[in-house]
């Protein structure tokens, strides 16, 4: 089930990850950037959050999950007209980058996510938000 971790920032991140340890590690890294974090255990939960009207600035989406994979969720989220959210595909699989990019993800990062890569992605989203608010 989806769960929310409060942060003090207006940056809203959705972590779509079925592995509890991986989800906790990424959430801890995101807390350093003061993100408001929502969790989904699979792609279907992520899609359902959008169907409920939830909005996110960034999605970190694992590739292989039960019920609905990450790339399937990316396709469905884009099909709903969600184009402002930055979607980051993540996996340890060798073929994952190609699969995520062809599904419509904005960027791919291999697992485990390097803090420097995470920082540059978050910075890019924050700068984009600042520019659209002006």
């Amino acid at each position: 089930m989806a769960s929310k971790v409060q942060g003090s920032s207006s940056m809203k991140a959705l972590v779509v990850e079925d592995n509890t340890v991986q989800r906790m590690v990424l959430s801890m890294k995101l807390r350093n950037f003061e993100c408001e974090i929502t969790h989904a255990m699979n792609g279907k939960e992520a899609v359902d959050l959008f169907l409920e009207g939830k909005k996110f600035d960034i999605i970190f989406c694992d590739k292989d999950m039960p019920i609905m994979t990450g790339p399937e969720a990316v396709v469905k989220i884009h099909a709903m007209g969600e184009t402002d959210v930055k979607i980051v595909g993540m996996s340890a699989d060798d073929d994952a980058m190609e699969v995520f990019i062809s599904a419509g993800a904005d960027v791919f990062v291999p697992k485990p996510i390097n803090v420097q890569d995470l920082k540059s992605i978050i910075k890019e989203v924050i700068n984009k938000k600042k520019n659209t608010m002006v």
Side-chain angles (χ1 to χ4, degrees):
M1 195 64 195
S3 65
K4 191 179 279 190
V5 178
Q6 287 293 347
S8 61
S9 172
S10 60
M11 169 74 107
K12 294 182 182 190
L14 175 60
V15 175
V16 188
E17 170 66 72
D18 61 320
N19 181 293
T20 305
V21 173
Q22 295 276 349
R23 194 170 52 248
M24 286 172 42
V25 169
L26 180 55
S27 295
M28 283 175 23
K29 290 177 182 178
L30 287 171
R31 278 192 203 98
N32 292 330
F33 298 100
E34 298 182 349
C35 293
E36 180 181 314
I37 305 161
T38 301
H39 296 140
M41 305 288 268
N42 57 60
K44 183 183 181 318
E45 282 188 14
V47 169
D48 288 348
L49 289 168
F50 281 93
L51 290 172
E52 292 168 12
K54 304 278 192 299
K55 297 286 182 194
F56 301 96
D57 299 303
I58 191 164
I59 301 170
F60 291 91
C61 195
D62 185 32
K63 180 177 172 264
D64 296 316
M65 296 176 287
I67 304 172
M68 184 185 295
T69 68
E72 290 172 327
V74 171
V75 169
K76 289 186 181 290
I77 289 167
H78 279 306
M80 289 188 272
E82 295 293 339
T83 55
D84 290 340
V85 63
K86 183 167 190 85
I87 301 178
V88 180
M90 51 185 197
S91 178
D93 293 354
D94 291 338
D95 69 331
M97 179 192 277
E98 186 179 315
V99 174
F100 266 114
I101 299 303
S102 65
D106 298 295
V107 69
F108 173 81
V109 290
K111 282 181 171 181
I113 296 180
N114 171 316
V115 175
Q116 206 53 43
D117 290 342
L118 188 61
K119 182 178 182 178
S120 81
I121 292 167
I122 296 287
K123 203 175 201 178
E124 186 182 314
V125 173
I126 289 170
N127 288 339
K128 182 182 173 196
K129 271 186 76 156
K130 284 180 184 172
N131 291 335
T132 56
M133 293 173 101
V134 175

